Amino acid sequence: PFLCLPFPRVLIHSQVSTYLCRGANLMRSGVHAILPPPSAPLPPSSRSVIVYPRGMVVSIHVINNPTPMAAGVLVAAFPTEMRIGPGAKGICVEIITCYGDDLWNISKEEAK
């Protein structure tokens, strides 16, 4: 239920989700993109950069799937303190809950 709130969206490839469901944090190299929530207003100009601060809660989505599969917090500000994508090193998101874990299942039961 709490994943329905408008958090920034971290997009990953489907292969990365396997590691997250096994308990891994999301590494920077596994991130395809970080996007604003769908309801977020557009920046005032095309040159504006949206900065996501360290500690911000994000939802994690497999590309082309609107349903989040995990939630976590950014370990560094993006894009000012870290880069993402192939070749990037380090953790991007510390996972709080992932599809199928105990916390996810508890929240699913409470939603009924």
Side-chain angles (χ1 to χ4, degrees), residues 27-30 82-90:
M27 305 306 284
R28 295 174 186 185
S29 60
M82 74 170 147
R83 63 183 201 89
I84 58 171
K89 299 196 182 294

Side-chain angles (χ1 to χ4, degrees), residues 8-13 26 28 30-36 52 59 61 63 78 84-85 92:
R9 297 167 293 153
V10 177
L11 300 183
I12 61 171
H13 294 283
L26 179 55
R28 295 174 186 185
V31 176
H32 178 73
I34 300 178
L35 304 174
Y52 300 104
S59 61
H61 302 252
I63 295 171
F78 175 80
I84 58 171
C92 178

Side-chain angles (χ1 to χ4, degrees), residues 21-103:
C21 289
R22 291 181 184 159
N25 284 319
L26 179 55
M27 305 306 284
R28 295 174 186 185
S29 60
V31 176
H32 178 73
I34 300 178
L35 304 174
S39 60
L42 294 174
S45 78
S46 60
R47 294 182 183 191
S48 297
V49 175
I50 299 172
V51 176
Y52 300 104
R54 179 176 359 134
M56 176 168 261
V57 175
V58 295
S59 61
I60 300 169
H61 302 252
V62 172
I63 295 171
N64 295 324
N65 187 343
T67 305
M69 58 87 50
V73 294
L74 292 175
V75 300
F78 175 80
T80 55
E81 296 177 5
M82 74 170 147
R83 63 183 201 89
I84 58 171
K89 299 196 182 294
I91 297 172
C92 178
V93 178
E94 188 174 297
I95 301 300
I96 297 169
T97 185
C98 187
Y99 176 79
D101 70 11
D102 291 340
L103 183 58

